[in-house]
Amino acid sequence: MKLYIVRHGETQWNKARKIQGQVDIPLNEFGRTLAKKTAKGLADINFDLCYTSPLIRARETAELILAGRTTQIIEDARLEEMAFGEYEGRCCSKKGWELPEEFRRFFDGPDQYQAPKGGEDFAQVKKRTGEFLCELCKKKEFENSNILIATHGAALAGLLNNIKGKSLAEYWGEGVHKNCAVTEVEVVDGQPRIISENVVYYDDEVEPWEE
């Protein structure tokens, strides 16, 4: 089994550095362009199936990558972005910061991060993404399949944190992946192994998420 895990394309809230969480924000035109370029980069992969977060920015990214194919797309809520509750819609850039100081633990100390009202902590996101991953890797009927997975920054980091067997303190690994970046994972005997991580198929400049 091969998994191709992609973060969604850019949205206007990404550009404005607003926390999206589970607010259903669509891709902007640049985000669609990135997804189309990613589609060209993955054109030689015969995708047998696709799993996507139900949120439109991930679903649309998957649809653009799979445009012209007949690949089945299945929505799974476990791939949704981390919920930020009352913080959703606030700016988290260094210059436009609109959050309590303790929110900085989101970046610098995920194991100490306290979820806001209506939000999730990292342990919860790691658990649900881990359950999705474990369930998928055990599916014998997919052991020779290529599967596209469209998700979000924090959820994707949760998947990779599970694969790497790292602690919550190491949740971010290499950091937030770029929009439409692809991570390839090989699954043998139910065990996932990362082959390549955070690969992009475009030359466009995308500012780091934290700036």
Side-chain angles (χ1 to χ4, degrees):
M1 186 189 303
K2 285 278 189 71
L3 309 179
Y4 296 81
I5 310 173
V6 60
R7 184 184 172 213
H8 63 79
E10 186 185 83
T11 71
Q12 285 304 107
W13 278 29
N14 283 148
K15 193 171 182 179
R17 297 299 183 263
K18 289 185 178 183
I19 296 176
Q20 292 178 109
Q22 296 183 358
V23 179
D24 212 3
I25 307 298
L27 299 179
N28 60 20
E29 283 308 310
F30 182 57
R32 295 184 183 101
T33 295
L34 297 183
K36 290 172 184 176
K37 289 182 177 181
T38 304
K40 291 180 180 179
L42 298 175
D44 292 336
I45 308 299
N46 178 31
F47 288 110
D48 300 288
L49 187 65
C50 171
Y51 284 96
T52 181
S53 156
L55 297 173
I56 188 62
R57 57 191 184 272
R59 172 88 194 202
E60 188 177 4
T61 298
E63 290 173 344
L64 288 169
I65 291 174
L66 297 171
R69 308 182 191 223
T70 58
T71 309
Q72 182 184 10
I73 299 176
I74 300 172
E75 294 184 354
D76 194 308
R78 292 173 294 183
L79 294 172
E80 283 189 11
E81 183 55 304
M82 188 175 194
F84 293 96
E86 61 187 3
Y87 292 168
E88 294 186 0
R90 298 191 193 182
C91 182
C92 62
S93 72
K94 292 176 181 177
K95 293 180 180 178
W97 189 261
E98 297 177 336
L99 295 151
E101 278 303 301
E102 58 262 27
F103 185 79
R104 296 191 190 279
R105 291 176 181 169
F106 175 78
F107 305 107
D108 303 329
D111 56 324
Q112 303 171 52
Y113 174 78
Q114 298 293 317
K117 183 178 180 181
E120 293 176 288
D121 60 27
F122 285 93
Q124 290 172 298
V125 180
K126 180 174 181 174
K127 181 176 184 292
R128 63 172 164 87
T129 56
E131 288 173 351
F132 166 84
L133 181 70
C134 184
E135 182 180 301
L136 178 58
C137 290
K138 288 180 179 178
K139 289 184 180 289
K140 293 289 186 181
E141 64 269 34
F142 296 155
E143 62 184 7
N144 296 313
S145 300
N146 293 318
I147 300 174
L148 179 68
I149 298 174
T151 185
H152 310 261
L156 194 156
L159 289 167
L160 300 187
N161 187 261
N162 277 290
I163 293 171
K164 295 174 182 178
K166 298 291 187 179
S167 68
L168 280 183
E170 303 167 287
Y171 189 92
W172 287 114
E174 295 184 4
V176 180
H177 283 199
K178 294 180 180 179
N179 291 112
C180 283
V182 180
T183 293
E184 184 178 352
V185 175
E186 182 178 41
V187 182
V188 178
D189 296 328
Q191 298 300 313
R193 177 179 67 89
I194 296 170
I195 297 174
S196 61
E197 183 175 346
N198 200 20
V199 175
V200 296
Y201 295 94
Y202 53 82
D203 296 325
D204 306 81
E205 286 293 326
V206 178
E207 292 182 3
W209 188 78
E210 298 89 345
E211 295 301 320

